[in-house]
Amino acid sequence: MLTVILGGARAGKSSLAERLASAQGAPVTVIATARPSDADMRARIARHQADRPVGWTTIEEPLNLVVALDHVAPDACVIIDCLTVWTSNLMAEPQKTADIEAEARRISATAAARPGATIVVSNEVGMGVHPETELGMRYRDVLARVNATWARAADRAVLVVAGRVLELHPTEDLLAELRR
């Protein structure tokens, strides 16, 4: 089962992912995409590491999520935290937007096909301040498409707002309801 957790910064996405993973009753592997690039990021990484239960495995992989998934037992629960940083990492590499979106389709399909649960965290950046730079606008747009790709592949997608969870329903469900 693939679950995508979207929301704003500090909304409670990672803690929800950890609670869902704990409830699986399976070994848990966290695939962490952050790079310790500055003091703030190092502190955030340390906080996330300290919050994880003892016995969970962590794979630090900023770019190649398929390789990271290949190193996880098929029945283990996986948390990918997070697509926001992964997308940023890919954009820092010499990749075209179409390549990033193709990689999101490939990895989301791989994650959805796993026998074990996969829980993916990402920020919803399109509801915030309008970016002032061309790079900021491109990042917002690419991440929106990456998130939509993962949400389409998911069995469940939720939006976390102020620590509360809203279930996101597939567009097809709404269209089918309107046709009735």
Side-chain angles (χ1 to χ4, degrees), residues 1-156:
M1 172 177 242
L2 175 58
T3 300
V4 174
I5 302 172
L6 302 167
R10 312 292 192 278
K13 301 177 304 294
S14 294
S15 63
L16 174 60
E18 291 166 1
R19 291 190 342 237
L20 292 172
S22 292
Q24 297 295 317
V28 177
T29 297
V30 177
I31 299 175
T33 62
R35 293 175 169 157
S37 55
D38 59 29
D40 179 59
M41 187 56 79
R42 284 190 293 277
R44 289 178 68 188
I45 290 169
R47 188 174 54 252
H48 279 281
Q49 289 170 337
D51 288 345
R52 291 182 199 133
V54 175
W56 284 17
T57 302
T58 300
I59 299 173
E60 305 282 345
E61 181 48 64
L63 297 170
N64 199 332
L65 297 181
V66 168
V67 168
L69 283 171
D70 285 345
H71 286 91
V72 178
D75 293 334
C77 178
V78 174
I79 297 173
I80 299 175
D81 197 355
C82 73
L83 296 180
T84 313
V85 175
W86 175 76
T87 300
S88 174
N89 293 342
L90 288 177
M91 288 181 70
E93 300 290 316
Q95 291 198 30
K96 296 179 182 167
T97 298
D99 296 336
I100 295 170
E101 292 172 21
E103 187 69 357
R105 285 189 298 276
R106 182 171 80 100
I107 298 168
S108 63
T110 299
R114 291 185 69 251
T118 303
I119 303 162
V120 181
V121 175
S122 190
N123 284 24
E124 175 50 68
V125 298
M127 297 169 70
V129 176
H130 181 75
E132 291 187 18
T133 66
E134 185 177 325
L135 177 60
M137 286 184 271
R138 180 173 169 248
Y139 174 72
R140 176 205 56 205
D141 294 348
V142 171
L143 182 59
R145 290 190 292 274
V146 165
N147 286 345
T149 296
W150 279 83
R152 276 191 303 276
D155 300 292
R156 178 188 320 154

Side-chain angles (χ1 to χ4, degrees), residues 157-169:
V158 299
L159 178 66
V160 180
V161 179
R164 299 290 180 130
V165 178
L166 300 169
E167 189 83 24
L168 301 176
H169 301 283

